Amino acid sequence: MESTSPTITTTEPKKLVQQTVYSILFTISLAHFINDMLQSVIPSIYPLIKQRFSLNFAQIGLITFTYQITASILQPFVGLYTDKKPKPYSLAIGMGFTLSGLLLASFAGNFYVILIAVSLIGIGSSIFHPESSRVAHLASGGKKGLAQSIFQLGGNAGSAVGPLLAALIVIPYGQSNVIWFCLIAFAGILVLLRIAKWYAEHLSLKAKNKNANEVSHLNLSKRRIIFSLGILLVLIFSKYFYLASITSYYTFFLINKFHLSIQQSQIYLFIFLGSVAAGTLFGGPLGDRFGRKYIIWISILGVAPFTMLLPYVSLFWTGVLSVFIGLILSSAFSAILVYATELVPGKVGLIAGLFFGLAFGMGGLGSAILGKVADMTSINYVFKICAYLPLIGIFTGLLPNIEGKKVAKG
């Protein structure tokens, strides 16, 4: 742990975007809402397809793993490529892959077709996240934490609404009703075409004004930067491995322990994911004001008491604790992502792809491993062992204080 703060020197000629462009931030947040809502439909119908195709928990985990690993492997490469050659209209193309995956999932007649469908959805996600993160960065007007929080709010809200819509539209009427979500995907393509137009115009202005670039420098060694990125990736592992236990198996946990119906368990999942969406909104602005390192520390480590209590309490307190877990844990990602982009300036696409990719990868790997553990033991045991993952947050103390002293503005 370091007691001194590295200095930051910044040269900022006249910027192309002088102020925070809220219209673009909320539009890209809407696109993120649609993207993540559509992705969340698949795990939401796990109980349905598990019963229809007589799947075990390991196969359920493999579905999540296939989707997540498809997204996670491609995202850093997409980000690295678009850092050099931005592709505004690739956003709409990514949503097109998601639409194709949903269409295939609605008619899938066996387990293997489901795997192909979620692979297409994963490819769509891998194209969407790096470029959309760059759009949020460009429209931030310097308020990077706030911009990421608005962007992440859309994604987490979509993840919360998806299971609720699935419970209303798909669960009572069958798998084929997934096709209705294709209409939402088409609407997402139209939204992303509007974003792409603004993005392309911004790139055109930037090309004409080549001096309008922000150059930042940290007097940290390359080794120290790589070490710090490694710590952040470990924290991402902790956060998303734990979230995998909730998003993939929370409904099974509730059904098994409290004998809820599928629709009742989906409502509890919606409550948890809704709290995740709400918590996302605070992490970025608080990081802008008080320092991202401290928000990361509180968010990861601070959730541990609640996760350790969760497997042992009544249904009422399970719901209450899940809200606290969602609110606290979700505030970390925006702070982590912006902290990482400040460690490696000028590589927003690569960093976004790497961290979103790892988030998806850890979710997929966690789901596959935890599914196997659940088959060997029980769902309740899975939640007991995952409860200790947030203790990894103690490693936040090893991160340097790259932001220097914060001056509060009233």
Side-chain angles (χ1 to χ4, degrees):
M1 190 181 301
E2 297 188 1
S3 58
T4 59
S5 302
T7 59
I8 304 175
T9 58
T10 305
T11 304
E12 293 183 286
K14 186 177 180 180
K15 292 183 181 180
L16 295 171
V17 180
Q18 296 286 353
Q19 296 179 336
T20 306
V21 188
Y22 286 101
S23 60
I24 293 298
L25 286 178
F26 283 108
T27 305
I28 197 64
S29 182
L30 172 62
H32 201 186
F33 172 90
I34 293 171
N35 184 80
D36 285 23
M37 178 186 69
L38 297 176
Q39 293 170 23
S40 70
V41 169
I42 299 301
S44 299
I45 62 171
Y46 279 173
L48 190 69
I49 59 178
K50 182 178 186 293
Q51 184 178 20
R52 181 182 175 189
F53 301 123
S54 301
L55 306 180
N56 57 34
F57 284 119
Q59 288 173 308
I60 290 292
L62 184 59
I63 293 172
T64 302
F65 177 76
T66 301
Y67 158 67
Q68 303 281 30
I69 208 68
T70 305
S72 65
I73 287 176
L74 291 177
Q75 283 200 48
F77 295 103
V78 171
L80 181 62
Y81 177 76
T82 54
D83 277 334
K84 298 177 181 178
K85 298 180 180 181
K87 302 292 182 184
Y89 290 93
S90 66
L91 290 165
I93 293 171
M95 188 65 72
F97 274 97
T98 299
L99 191 157
S100 300
L102 289 168
L103 185 63
L104 187 59
S106 67
F107 294 108
N110 59 64
F111 173 68
Y112 299 102
V113 177
I114 289 287
L115 292 181
I116 296 171
V118 299
S119 295
L120 290 171
I121 296 172
I123 292 171
S125 179
S126 71
I127 296 172
F128 174 81
H129 283 101
E131 281 290 74
S132 57
S133 291
R134 193 197 318 281
V135 170
H137 180 83
L138 293 174
S140 69
K143 298 179 181 178
K144 299 175 185 177
L146 174 64
Q148 275 300 321
S149 283
I150 293 173
F151 175 62
Q152 290 298 323
L153 174 64
N156 287 332
S159 295
V161 171
L164 188 63
L165 290 179
L168 295 173
I169 298 172
V170 182
I171 299 298
Y173 306 109
Q175 177 188 338
S176 61
N177 282 269
V178 170
I179 198 171
W180 292 109
F181 289 93
C182 293
L183 296 175
I184 301 175
F186 182 74
I189 291 174
L190 299 179
V191 171
L192 287 169
L193 287 173
R194 179 174 182 266
I195 289 289
K197 182 180 178 181
W198 177 88
Y199 187 8
E201 290 172 352
H202 183 93
L203 292 175
S204 178
L205 289 172
K206 187 176 180 180
K208 293 176 183 177
N209 188 6
K210 294 181 179 179
N211 292 323
N213 294 311
E214 180 178 324
V215 180
S216 301
H217 174 71
L218 295 173
N219 66 339
L220 289 174
S221 67
K222 183 177 180 180
R223 182 178 179 181
R224 184 64 171 140
I225 290 173
I226 293 173
F227 175 79
S228 299
L229 287 173
I231 292 295
L232 294 175
L233 293 175
V234 168
L235 297 176
I236 289 289
F237 160 79
S238 168
K239 171 181 166 66
Y240 281 93
F241 209 93
Y242 181 78
L243 282 178
S245 69
I246 300 287
T247 54
S248 292
Y249 301 111
Y250 190 45
T251 54
F252 294 112
F253 171 75
L254 294 171
I255 292 169
N256 180 68
K257 185 174 180 180
F258 301 111
H259 309 293
L260 302 185
S261 68
I262 293 176
Q263 286 180 302
Q264 287 173 324
S265 68
Q266 293 285 9
I267 292 171
Y268 275 85
L269 180 60
F270 168 73
I271 292 170
F272 168 75
L273 294 174
S275 68
V276 168
T280 300
L281 191 59
F282 301 112
L286 289 174
D288 285 339
R289 185 177 180 88
F290 299 109
R292 297 179 228 292
K293 175 180 174 178
Y294 304 108
I295 299 304
I296 296 168
W297 204 335
I298 292 169
S299 178
I300 303 292
L301 189 60
V303 80
F306 304 103
T307 61
M308 287 189 283
L309 282 173
L310 186 68
Y312 304 99
V313 296
S314 66
L315 178 61
F316 171 79
W317 285 109
T318 296
V320 172
L321 288 175
S322 70
V323 169
F324 281 107
I325 291 169
L327 285 171
I328 299 170
L329 193 59
S330 63
S331 62
F333 190 77
S334 295
I336 289 174
L337 190 60
V338 175
Y339 186 102
T341 59
E342 291 174 346
L343 280 173
V344 190
K347 300 291 183 182
V348 175
L350 173 62
I351 293 298
L354 180 63
F355 279 81
F356 275 110
L358 185 71
F360 285 117
M362 284 302 101
L365 182 63
S367 184
I369 292 174
L370 296 175
K372 188 66 175 178
V373 172
D375 283 334
M376 295 171 61
T377 57
S378 69
I379 285 291
N380 197 49
Y381 181 76
V382 165
F383 277 74
K384 288 179 180 178
I385 59 175
C386 286
Y388 294 93
L389 285 170
L391 294 177
I392 293 174
I394 194 70
F395 289 109
T396 305
L398 299 174
L399 294 173
N401 298 309
I402 65 174
E403 297 157 304
K405 295 182 179 179
K406 290 287 179 180
V407 179
K409 296 181 181 180

